[in-house]
Amino acid sequence: MSLSDHPKAYGTAALTAAFVAGILVTLGFKDLYPELEDQYQRRRRRRKPRQSSSTESRRSSFFWGPVQLEDHESESSSAGSTAADNIRDGIVDGIEGCIGNTPLVKLRSLSEATGRTILAKAEFLNGAGGSPKDRVALHMIEVAEEQGLLVPGRGDTIYEGTVGSTGISLATLARARGYRAHICMPNDQAVEKSTLLHHLGATVERVTPAPITSPEHFVNLARTRALEHTASSTTASRGFFADQFESHANYQAHIKTTGPEILRQTGGNIDAFVAGAGTGGTISGVAKYLKDSAKLTRLRVVLADPQGSGLYNKVRHGVMYAPTEREGTRRRQQVDTIVEGVGINRITENFEAGRELIDDAVRVTDEQACRMARWLVEHDGIFVGSSSAVNCVAAVATALTLPRDSVVVTMLCDSGTRHLSKFWKQIGEMGLEEGNDDEEGAQRESESDLLSAIGLKSQR
């Protein structure tokens, strides 16, 4: 008897065959046609995100494999946004996109030595000029562009007086945005900084250190050069004086970026913020954001100040100089120290912006800074410059005044590669790099040795 004589049996057999065929298609289609799968996925990635219907999702899962859950709400919110797509794919728009969102690194050896958590913002990983000045330089340029003081492609030149890092950041970003850079700096700064500026295409003037009241002071000279450019130019180009010491765009850059990043990375669990001050933009901007905007009222803000700088006395005693000091007695005008980038003997607009929010200050000697820099290399594998070492000494000193398990955040400003001919040369001359490989194989110093080296006592 044939199946045609039994319609019910015929229908059952047809459904069974269709079901088996469906299973074979589902399990085997990708194996039979892998190149089609690849083509489909490439096309799918190129398409902008869009919210697919439940029918489309079921159809896709039937032909291409198991269902994958997707966040269509976030996709739809970024639909049509090229910038959002690029960020998600790890692409940033130009060198400016490499600035900010630096890691917050736990300094294990310092945390172990103090019994408190010491975290450091790795600003030397900023991708433009490799320092926190990247943030400042970018914001100053953006503000100048908004005000029409800088116009890309017009032939404008950015002028600045700097001891190094701000100039490097400005020189990098100037080229990226269609400008030139002219940097004036003291001739007692590490020569590798001016060499780097030259290779970045900047014009560099190394000048003899002079009082801030002198027209020959590197900051005043940069201002003069900018005015001369604008006055004498036979084209539409202009000279723009960035004025990092007094420009409010400096500390505002840290209110806008650094402060919010620290808050997010710590979840608000931070007991102290420690930083040095050259222009004063970093400590003022971060303090204003964390204390005023984020309302971390219990937060202690501590200034890290090198020897010879007047800011320690200003914070501690309300006056710039101690009774035993007087103007004109120092070896150099800025500060009598080998430390570069922090320390100053005048109150800038940027420092004044956050001065009332600074709770305390720690004075750091050159020897302490040198020993700390070497310690970080030996125990944490971190190679930084002089200002970072000053910050870390002050962070340890601050941590010891706080209860156990407190959290202290500081800044690692730039790499030690910018300080080879001066700061790290001094470390070598002190003999701190000798005897690292003894018979026991670079034996780690005890925690108490750190505190002894930098002249501090354990308060465990």
Side-chain angles (χ1 to χ4, degrees):
M1 182 180 297
S2 66
L3 286 174
S4 60
D5 295 330
H6 295 276
K8 185 175 181 179
Y10 179 85
T12 301
L15 288 173
T16 301
F19 179 76
V20 171
I23 292 175
L24 291 175
V25 168
T26 302
L27 296 178
F29 196 85
K30 283 201 290 185
D31 293 333
L32 291 173
Y33 300 100
E35 68 282 1
L36 294 180
E37 165 70 359
D38 292 340
Q39 292 176 12
Y40 170 79
Q41 294 295 348
R42 284 196 297 270
R43 287 196 302 271
R44 184 170 179 270
R45 283 193 294 268
R46 284 197 297 268
R47 287 198 298 266
K48 291 180 180 178
R50 63 185 180 86
Q51 187 168 357
S52 55
S53 66
S54 58
T55 304
E56 288 174 321
S57 298
R58 287 195 297 271
R59 185 184 302 121
S60 174
S61 66
F62 180 79
F63 285 107
W64 302 112
V67 174
Q68 295 183 351
L69 299 178
E70 300 179 18
D71 183 3
H72 292 296
E73 181 177 354
S74 62
E75 286 183 353
S76 62
S77 66
S78 62
S81 173
T82 303
D85 294 345
N86 287 342
I87 291 172
R88 186 178 61 252
D89 294 336
I91 300 170
V92 297
D93 186 13
I95 195 67
E96 300 94 323
C98 300
I99 298 173
N101 294 310
T102 54
L104 194 59
V105 180
K106 180 180 180 180
L107 301 180
R108 289 195 294 259
S109 71
L110 305 190
S111 298
E112 291 168 2
T114 60
R116 286 82 172 167
T117 299
I118 297 181
L119 308 174
K121 200 89 165 80
E123 290 294 278
F124 63 89
L125 295 179
N126 273 305
S131 80
K133 298 301 185 180
D134 283 354
R135 303 173 187 267
V136 174
L138 178 59
H139 194 51
M140 289 193 300
I141 290 173
E142 289 175 337
V143 170
E145 289 176 339
E146 291 171 0
Q147 296 174 348
L149 301 176
L150 284 172
V151 177
R154 189 173 63 181
D156 294 349
T157 298
I158 301 171
Y159 293 83
E160 183 60 298
T162 170
V163 296
S165 291
T166 303
I168 291 168
S169 297
L170 282 171
T172 303
L173 293 170
R175 286 293 183 176
R177 298 177 81 94
Y179 309 114
R180 295 186 178 277
H182 186 120
I183 305 301
C184 299
M185 64 188 303
N187 61 13
D188 60 353
Q189 300 300 294
V191 69
E192 49 266 32
K193 294 181 181 180
S194 56
T195 301
L196 177 55
L197 283 165
H198 172 74
H199 289 304
L200 288 170
T203 299
V204 183
E205 282 190 71
R206 289 176 66 93
V207 301
T208 302
I212 186 62
T213 53
S214 169
E216 300 304 313
H217 185 276
F218 64 97
V219 172
N220 297 332
L221 188 61
R223 180 187 292 106
T224 299
R225 294 285 185 261
L227 293 172
E228 290 174 344
H229 177 137
T230 301
S232 63
S233 178
T234 57
T235 68
S237 70
R238 298 183 60 176
F240 168 70
F241 175 49
D243 199 14
Q244 60 165 328
F245 288 90
E246 312 303 334
S247 171
H248 289 189
N250 184 339
Y251 77 82
Q252 289 169 353
H254 296 290
I255 293 177
K256 180 181 177 182
T257 63
T258 318
E261 289 175 25
I262 291 173
L263 181 67
R264 183 179 71 250
Q265 290 167 323
T266 61
N269 180 27
I270 171 176
D271 298 286
F273 175 71
V274 179
T279 65
T282 300
I283 194 167
S284 289
V286 173
K288 287 179 74 67
Y289 180 82
L290 293 179
K291 280 194 169 184
D292 290 346
S293 301
K295 306 300 182 185
L296 300 183
T297 55
R298 65 180 177 83
L299 175 73
R300 288 185 61 77
V301 176
V302 179
L303 171 73
D305 210 33
Q307 64 184 51
S309 173
L311 297 181
Y312 170 86
N313 289 319
K314 188 65 175 178
V315 171
R316 277 289 188 96
H317 310 298
V319 294
M320 185 62 78
Y321 302 106
T324 57
E325 297 176 317
R326 61 185 177 86
E327 270 190 285
T329 61
R330 293 181 176 80
R331 172 177 57 84
R332 49 179 295 211
Q333 174 62 18
Q334 186 189 16
V335 282
D336 187 14
T337 177
I338 62 170
V339 173
E340 298 178 352
V342 293
I344 195 170
N345 286 318
R346 70 180 191 274
I347 300 297
T348 66
E349 288 277 348
N350 282 280
F351 187 78
E352 185 62 30
R355 183 165 64 90
E356 295 302 320
L357 300 175
I358 301 175
D359 302 288
D360 202 357
V362 175
R363 172 166 284 167
V364 179
T365 67
D366 285 354
E367 182 176 356
Q368 288 175 318
C370 289
R371 290 184 178 278
M372 174 59 76
R374 189 62 213 168
W375 178 279
L376 290 172
V377 169
E378 286 296 308
H379 295 80
D380 297 273
I382 297 175
F383 184 57
V384 291
S386 55
S387 58
S388 301
V390 168
N391 286 345
C392 288
V393 172
V396 169
T398 300
L400 294 176
T401 67
L402 299 173
R404 288 182 59 86
D405 300 322
S406 295
V407 177
V408 177
V409 173
T410 191
M411 307 286 283
L412 297 180
C413 302
D414 61 2
S415 168
T417 57
R418 293 184 186 173
H419 301 261
L420 297 176
S421 64
K422 188 176 177 182
F423 180 67
W424 277 94
K425 180 182 178 181
Q426 176 69 21
I427 291 173
E429 291 175 350
M430 291 173 63
L432 298 178
E433 297 178 311
E434 299 174 0
N436 293 326
D437 297 320
D438 57 21
E439 65 275 7
E440 297 185 15
Q443 181 180 7
R444 287 175 62 92
E445 299 171 77
S446 67
E447 295 167 3
S448 61
D449 286 335
L450 167 64
L451 304 184
S452 175
I454 62 178
L456 298 175
K457 295 180 180 180
S458 175
Q459 298 186 20
R460 285 176 176 273

